[in-house]
Amino acid sequence: MPTEIENLNPSVYAKCKERSVTDEEQNEDVPDPFDQREVFDLIRVINDPEHPLTLEELHVVQQDLITVDDANNEVKVYFTPTIPHCSMATLIGLSIRVKLLRSLPPRFKVSVEITPGTHASEKAVNKQLADKERVAAALENAHLIEVINQCIASS
Amino acid sequence: MSTGLNRKYRKSQFTIISWVDSRIVKNAKQSLIKEIMGKLEEIHVLQGHKGRIWSGAWHPRGNAFATCGEDKTIRIWSMDGSEWITKTILSDGHTRTIREVAWSPCGQYLASASFDATTAIWSKTSGEFECNATLEGHENEVKSVSWSRTGSLLATCSRDKSVWIWEVAGDDEFECAAVLNAHTQDVKKVAWHPRQDILASASYDNTINIYKENTLDSDWECTATLTSHSSTVWGISFDATGNRLASCSDDKTVKIWQAYEPGNEENIPTPDNQTVWKCVCTLSGFHSRSVYDIAWCKLTGLIVTACGDDAIRIFKEDDNSSKNEPTFSLVCTMHKAHEQDVNTVTWNPVTPGQLLSTSDDGTIRIWKFIE
């Protein structure tokens, strides 16, 4: 882990409003499929590993960069590192993955990728995040899991 | 080289744009027609492991199998009447996920590869299974382990990019015969040739390497690198003769490779007098996610795949298939074979058509394929 912060002055954006709950959603008899906003709500509160800010405030995750296909059990998240050489990209991706792994039902196939064109090692990071064996091994690393838990601990 | 395929095409209803495309179109369309050919019946659903089950391996006699997973245990299963039950749980061998288990050809030994960087050798010489040896040397996660056809050699591979060959020196003695560094990334799988001491390895670097002992200086060396996959190669399996190899990948394809030995009748050049391997068939358009495992049945010639789309698929070589341009048809797709990713599939070495699969859903399933 680097001792110096790479991006000293990141742009900070406003948080979105709380989701307004519709009458239909209140109705226990109506099935609510997972939607974009629900997945966004799960990951927007993840803390950035370097700054005391959330991924939402840094625009690392954005609602329109999430696609959810509830019927086909697919969730795809694009995340945007704040700078193209961000060494934290893998850690951020892993945090998003772990948060969704722990929150969504196991039927979902989750893919987490860097927004195309926003990182120097985009392909390498994407490949590593898509490799479930590498992810599984990483999550057995006590130090790493501690860092991830700090990122996804709800504030 | 494309004439054979194209001629066949002109007779059929599909239009051809180019040879490369046509092969893909052919495979996908053919599947629609021929998929009804075979049926996969679920015989047993077995539970016991906690969490993801990474691997399963049939005992060479076909009447027992071993499984392992993220719960750090190995379970040995055998038949009790008409049910498969856990006969033994081995839980004190590894401190992290157990990625793969493999039986020695004699059936006396079981090897287990673990993320804890070790490979354990279990044997039943004294009645109960005991860990007789722990092979250390890899720097990090061991991903795969495989015994050679005689059981005198063992191969392991790791995220540390190396492949190790171990000589079985005695009951619990293993000597490192070679450390092979031909891959540039994580090595996912090792598999021995069924008739010769030739080893194949598959990697995150998208390639497959073939290794052989140099008869002059008895040093192991990489004799061929097979490139064609565009992402991680997860699985490899030789056919019964060892002249062909099937591979599966994160690129969602299956490829068939043919060996051309020096002096081959096709006049394919063999530089340095080494056997060359050529990709002679690509099966695309069948799998919708990463293909994690592949097994080529030594009894029936059928190929089965385990896929991240929860399905098990079976391919059969066409009757009019040829050595240099073989063709395969999808004869069965079992959608939702498991509730999550299928991690391994393996054919029973004795009972034709019997299949074992393991999954992230924590179950082991036994299947019967009926043509």
Side-chain angles (χ1 to χ4, degrees), chain A residues 73-74 106-107 109 124 127-128 130-134 136-138 140-141, chain B residues 52 96-97 99 141 143 186 188 204 206 232 234 308 310 340-341 343 360:
Chain A
N73 304 324
E74 285 179 356
R107 66 182 167 97
K109 307 282 182 190
K127 189 171 185 178
Q128 201 165 351
D131 185 321
K132 70 171 187 178
E133 191 184 59
R134 297 272 278 254
E140 285 185 352
N141 177 326
Chain B
R52 169 184 279 157
R96 289 184 58 188
T97 283
R99 179 63 180 87
E141 299 96 82
K143 302 291 182 75
D186 192 1
K188 298 295 197 185
Y204 189 87
N206 308 352
T232 302
W234 282 108
D310 309 347
Q340 294 179 51
D341 294 7
N343 290 324
D360 282 357

Side-chain angles (χ1 to χ4, degrees), chain B residues 130-201:
Chain B
E130 277 173 23
C131 179
N132 273 3
T134 303
L135 311 185
E136 292 173 359
H138 282 296
E139 285 169 29
N140 46 43
E141 299 96 82
V142 186
K143 302 291 182 75
S144 176
V145 59
S146 174
W147 299 85
S148 70
R149 78 212 142 93
T150 58
S152 61
L153 297 167
L154 189 76
T156 57
C157 64
S158 158
R159 183 167 64 85
D160 69 11
K161 305 173 189 173
S162 69
V163 171
W164 289 48
I165 294 174
W166 309 79
E167 267 172 13
V168 185
D171 247 8
D172 45 15
E173 267 182 75
F174 292 78
E175 282 166 12
C176 176
V179 176
L180 302 159
N181 289 301
H183 284 294
T184 58
Q185 293 284 347
D186 192 1
V187 191
K188 298 295 197 185
K189 191 87 172 178
V190 278
W192 286 95
H193 188 288
R195 294 187 183 174
Q196 297 174 53
D197 285 343
I198 291 173
L199 180 72
S201 65

Side-chain angles (χ1 to χ4, degrees), chain B residues 1-10 16 18-20 22 325:
Chain B
M1 71 191 285
S2 64
T3 48
L5 267 174
N6 282 349
R7 206 179 306 123
K8 216 155 104 194
Y9 257 95
R10 264 178 239 122
I16 309 137
S18 73
W19 182 76
V20 178
S22 73
E325 284 183 33

Side-chain angles (χ1 to χ4, degrees), chain B residues 20-300:
Chain B
V20 178
D21 288 340
S22 73
R23 180 144 61 170
I24 295 164
V25 172
K26 171 183 181 280
N27 288 333
K29 297 240 173 171
Q30 226 180 27
S31 71
L32 295 173
I33 302 160
K34 293 200 176 171
E35 206 172 325
I36 39 167
M37 275 176 58
K39 202 173 88 185
L40 200 56
E41 270 180 22
E42 187 184 274
I43 308 296
H44 299 282
V45 182
L46 309 173
Q47 282 172 324
H49 280 289
K50 287 188 186 72
R52 169 184 279 157
I53 306 177
W54 274 114
S55 160
W58 287 103
H59 187 276
R61 278 204 296 271
N63 57 357
F65 60 84
T67 54
C68 64
E70 71 174 350
D71 66 4
K72 309 177 185 74
T73 70
I74 299 165
R75 282 174 177 256
I76 295 167
W77 306 74
S78 63
M79 279 291 228
D80 185 37
S82 61
E83 293 297 311
W84 288 97
I85 58 155
T86 301
K87 279 277 160 77
T88 309
I89 301 174
L90 307 173
S91 54
D92 53 354
H94 293 288
T95 56
R96 289 184 58 188
T97 283
I98 305 175
R99 179 63 180 87
E100 194 171 76
V101 278
W103 292 95
S104 63
C106 67
Q108 283 295 310
Y109 302 95
L110 182 71
S112 56
S114 167
F115 285 1
D116 70 9
T118 71
T119 306
I121 310 294
W122 309 78
S123 82
K124 211 186 170 176
T125 35
S126 54
E128 298 270 301
F129 273 97
E130 277 173 23
C131 179
N132 273 3
T134 303
L135 311 185
E136 292 173 359
H138 282 296
E139 285 169 29
N140 46 43
E141 299 96 82
V142 186
K143 302 291 182 75
S144 176
V145 59
S146 174
W147 299 85
S148 70
R149 78 212 142 93
T150 58
S152 61
L153 297 167
L154 189 76
T156 57
C157 64
S158 158
R159 183 167 64 85
D160 69 11
K161 305 173 189 173
S162 69
V163 171
W164 289 48
I165 294 174
W166 309 79
E167 267 172 13
V168 185
D171 247 8
D172 45 15
E173 267 182 75
F174 292 78
E175 282 166 12
C176 176
V179 176
L180 302 159
N181 289 301
H183 284 294
T184 58
Q185 293 284 347
D186 192 1
V187 191
K188 298 295 197 185
K189 191 87 172 178
V190 278
W192 286 95
H193 188 288
R195 294 187 183 174
Q196 297 174 53
D197 285 343
I198 291 173
L199 180 72
S201 65
S203 165
Y204 189 87
D205 70 10
N206 308 352
T207 72
I208 299 159
N209 281 332
I210 307 285
Y211 312 87
K212 211 173 144 180
E213 196 176 19
N214 186 323
T215 43
L216 296 175
D217 56 12
S218 63
D219 266 351
W220 283 85
E221 54 190 29
C222 176
T223 58
T225 297
L226 285 54
T227 53
S228 181
H229 280 296
S230 60
S231 190
T232 302
V233 187
W234 282 108
I236 38 176
S237 180
F238 283 100
D239 75 347
T241 66
N243 293 328
R244 293 197 290 179
L245 181 74
S247 60
C248 64
S249 163
D250 180 57
D251 70 12
K252 303 173 191 166
T253 71
V254 164
K255 288 180 188 282
I256 308 294
W257 308 80
Q258 171 71 43
Y260 294 95
E261 286 173 13
N264 64 80
E265 57 186 28
E266 288 84 4
N267 289 321
I268 287 170
T270 52
D272 302 327
N273 228 23
Q274 295 288 2
T275 300
V276 299
W277 291 80
K278 295 228 174 265
C279 178
V280 288
C281 177
T282 299
L283 301 168
S284 337
F286 296 108
H287 300 90
S288 63
R289 292 193 160 262
S290 207
V291 191
Y292 290 119
D293 196 22
I294 189 159
W296 203 327
C297 185
K298 308 290 185 277
L299 305 173
T300 62

